[in-house]
Amino acid sequence: MHDSTCDTIVHIRVGGEGRTPIYATAGSAGCDLYAARGLTLLPGECKVLPLDLVMAIEPGVEAQIRPRSGLSLKTELRLPNSPGTIDSDYRSEVGVLLQNTFSMERMADQILFRPQLLEELAAKYHRVPYIEYLKERLDLLPNNADQENLLKLAKNLSELSEKSIWLDSQGNPYGTIYIQPGDRIAQMVFSKYLKAAFVEHPWPEHIGQDRGGGFGSTGIRQETRANLR
């Protein structure tokens, strides 16, 4: 059975770790998407979060994956390809591309903006030299030659040897984002689209009306501006 007030039918298979998307209210344009598994995103990392669901969308309809405004406001979590598109002929598992945009270079600014952060760092994190943290991470690489080369490069960068990093109880730096299974992570909006037929033409700019600019322009032609002065 489906809601007769809906505009399109989406056939869906939800796995054991997934959850059917839900509209929070009757007026919600987007339905909430939920994390199927936990995910750790270090500062700067970009990963795909699986939703453990497969959909069949009607022809002429696309699903757009968009960020949740609350997460964008309160965290450094971003959807780098927003809005992501799920085509009507896509039948593989749906995932959401996530990026942690936090940068350690912003630590000083964050402390100035929120001085109590110093107390939080002292209580929940431990401070280590950045070189030591980097060495531990390099030890996880499979290629020993790459480890040696990267570590040699790091030691030759004096600015790194003078920096510290705050690590949490799991050994990850401040700014790491932890996503738990079941977290509302994004929203999905369905929309009809138009497909174009590309027809060769010698002067496309002579068809219809030319607004006279774009990409930052107001669209007002220079001669019109002169008349307004």
Side-chain angles (χ1 to χ4, degrees):
M1 295 292 293
H2 65 272
D3 189 341
S4 60
T5 64
C6 294
D7 300 308
T8 186
I9 302 299
V10 177
H11 296 92
I12 188 171
R13 183 181 72 242
V14 182
E17 298 177 315
R19 184 174 175 180
T20 302
I22 297 176
Y23 289 95
T25 68
S28 296
C31 50
D32 290 328
L33 298 177
Y34 299 86
R37 305 179 187 91
L39 185 70
T40 299
L41 277 173
L42 300 177
E45 270 196 316
C46 185
K47 293 181 179 179
V48 176
L49 175 70
L51 302 181
D52 197 16
L53 57 87
V54 177
M55 300 188 303
I57 304 172
E58 291 184 299
V61 176
E62 66 162 332
Q64 296 182 0
I65 309 299
R66 303 179 181 178
R68 293 187 59 227
S69 56
L71 284 177
S72 297
L73 176 64
K74 299 175 183 178
T75 74
E76 304 293 333
L77 188 66
R78 300 291 183 267
L79 276 63
N81 65 328
S82 176
T85 295
I86 302 175
D87 295 308
S88 61
D89 56 357
Y90 180 78
R91 295 293 182 272
S92 298
E93 181 181 356
V94 177
V96 179
L97 188 61
L98 300 176
Q99 184 176 20
N100 181 353
T101 60
F102 180 79
S103 171
M104 293 301 297
E105 299 298 325
R106 298 177 53 194
M107 282 294 295
D109 292 333
Q110 291 215 356
I111 292 173
L112 286 174
F113 178 73
R114 191 164 64 92
Q116 61 269 34
L117 176 57
L118 286 174
E119 298 179 4
E120 179 182 334
L121 291 172
K124 300 180 180 180
Y125 296 79
H126 62 282
R127 188 173 181 174
V128 300
Y130 191 88
I131 288 294
E132 295 302 319
Y133 167 75
L134 185 60
K135 183 178 183 304
E136 291 181 5
R137 291 290 172 175
L138 292 176
D139 287 341
L140 300 177
L141 295 177
N143 191 318
N144 291 329
D146 288 342
Q147 293 179 29
E148 294 175 2
N149 291 335
L150 289 173
L151 188 56
K152 183 184 298 183
L153 173 63
K155 287 183 176 179
N156 289 333
L157 295 176
S158 58
E159 62 269 23
L160 287 183
S161 63
E162 298 172 358
K163 289 186 177 181
S164 297
I165 190 169
W166 286 267
L167 303 180
D168 62 19
S169 60
Q170 300 187 44
N172 292 321
Y174 176 82
T176 296
I177 295 176
Y178 295 97
I179 297 171
Q180 305 299 324
D183 283 351
R184 287 191 303 162
I185 204 65
Q187 57 182 341
M188 180 166 58
V189 174
F190 293 92
S191 177
K192 294 182 179 180
Y193 60 87
L194 301 176
K195 298 197 75 171
F198 297 96
V199 179
E200 288 288 339
H201 192 281
W203 297 104
E205 56 268 53
H206 292 172
I207 298 177
Q209 184 174 353
D210 182 2
R211 59 170 278 176
F215 295 100
S217 168
T218 62
I220 301 177
R221 293 182 179 275
Q222 294 298 324
E223 59 266 28
T224 305
R225 290 183 182 178
N227 293 332
L228 293 176
R229 291 175 183 171

